[in-house]
Amino acid sequence: MLNPHEKQITAKELQENYDRLAFPIERVLKDLQWSEEELMDALEVARQQLVTPGDIWKLCDYLEDMLTQSGKEMQPETRAQSLVQLS
């Protein structure tokens, strides 16, 4: 389980990568087959009780794939160790 500080760091990194991607929210929702609420819950890892670790991994993988395909760099990962703790 992540402590509050780790949740904050992971949420910040997810948000930074989401912002870097700069896809319209509609595209992200369609690609992930999520509602806007599900996306916001995953971005705000602090609300972990509303989202599964699998959803956070899914979002991380999606952002990484799309950033790579777009030729953009991903936020340096301190999240890797934190996400392992979610599982």
Side-chain angles (χ1 to χ4, degrees):
M1 204 67 181
L2 296 178
N3 67 42
H5 180 70
E6 292 166 331
K7 288 179 183 181
Q8 184 179 28
I9 290 169
T10 302
K12 180 179 182 277
E13 291 173 355
L14 285 171
Q15 187 65 55
E16 287 175 2
N17 285 320
Y18 177 76
D19 293 344
R20 257 185 206 160
L21 186 59
F23 280 5
I25 190 170
E26 296 81 10
R27 176 175 176 183
V28 176
L29 297 177
K30 182 179 177 189
D31 287 350
L32 293 172
Q33 298 181 346
W34 282 358
S35 68
E36 187 171 348
E37 183 176 10
E38 289 170 311
L39 176 60
M40 294 302 113
D41 288 346
L43 285 170
E44 299 171 16
V45 177
R47 294 167 51 181
Q48 185 179 340
Q49 68 275 13
L50 301 176
V51 64
T52 67
D55 287 341
I56 296 170
W57 275 111
K58 182 177 180 178
L59 179 58
C60 289
D61 291 344
Y62 172 80
L63 293 172
E64 183 175 7
D65 291 347
M66 294 300 107
L67 285 165
T68 299
Q69 288 178 24
S70 299
K72 298 177 181 177
E73 290 198 24
M74 190 161 175
Q75 166 68 22
E77 297 182 35
T78 58
R79 69 155 173 98
Q81 182 178 359
S82 296
L83 287 175
V84 168
Q85 294 174 10
L86 283 172
S87 302

